[in-house]
Amino acid sequence: MYRQKEKVDDAYPLHRMRKKQMEHTWTKEFYQETDPAKRQQILKEHIGEEEAWEEEYRTRLWTARYGQRRLQKDEFVRCLMELKYLAEGTSLDPGGDRRKMGARILSTLCLAEAMQSEEGYQKILEDELYNVFLKFIQVSRGGRGFTSLVFGMGQLSEEGIAKKIAEQISAIAFRAPRLLRMEKEFTLLREAALRAYRQEYPNREHFLNK
């Protein structure tokens, strides 16, 4: 089915170009938006505009991240926090619990299956993980406790906030995978983290401890 569709589209290059431009516009908006309800609305408005496999995979990731109905949880952000705590925790690893935790996080973030998938699936997952880091950055710098100086005496400067967020992203995307000895498995997470940080804090990548 897909091959036949590709041949039809090849006969109309202008049609293909316009279709790709339209897809790029709405998916770019979708991955920049961090509010779950608004993201859900964007998805609904563009049902049927993608290949079946793309639509099905985005839906699978949506369910893995937010669940079937309520939008009150975000399992992917929770995984980032678990990686952060893991990186900041003790070096002891009784019973190999750390490795088990890493495997569970890989599964929850859909990274385990992505390693066996084609490039198109990996790109969609990386885009979703990029959105997760945008959400993480947004929540972090919006918290008064995060942006406060010691004992709440004043507020961090923008430069100070950029450094503090860089420290946390370094722990999540670089230090934790190294501790787990799963750097290869977390490649997409690392790339997504870099994209998000570079967007929000251009020319500040040197703050990251890779």
Side-chain angles (χ1 to χ4, degrees), residues 86-101:
L86 188 152
E88 296 172 348
T90 176
S91 60
L92 298 177
D93 187 21
D97 289 342
R98 178 185 292 168
R99 188 81 179 178
K100 293 175 185 177
M101 181 180 179

Side-chain angles (χ1 to χ4, degrees), residues 197-210:
Y197 190 79
R198 286 166 179 162
Q199 174 183 304
E200 297 302 295
Y201 296 103
N203 304 317
R204 295 293 184 273
E205 190 173 337
H206 57 279
F207 289 154
L208 294 170
N209 183 8
K210 302 176 186 179

Side-chain angles (χ1 to χ4, degrees), residues 25 29 59 83 93 98 100 110 144 165 173 178 200 206:
T25 298
E29 179 187 3
T59 301
L83 287 169
D93 187 21
R98 178 185 292 168
K100 293 175 185 177
C110 303
R144 184 171 179 81
I165 289 176
R178 276 199 298 271
E200 297 302 295
H206 57 279

Side-chain angles (χ1 to χ4, degrees), residues 18-34:
R18 287 174 176 171
K19 180 183 177 184
K20 287 297 181 184
Q21 288 175 340
M22 179 177 65
E23 289 176 352
H24 177 73
T25 298
W26 83 260
T27 55
K28 183 176 181 180
E29 179 187 3
F30 177 67
Y31 289 117
Q32 288 292 323
E33 180 57 64
T34 57

Side-chain angles (χ1 to χ4, degrees), residues 7 65 68 85 94 108 113-114 126 139 149 163 165 171 187:
K7 290 180 180 179
R65 183 174 177 182
Q68 289 283 1
Y85 296 144
T108 302
E113 65 179 55
E126 183 187 323
V139 171
L149 295 172
K163 287 181 180 179
I165 289 176
T187 298

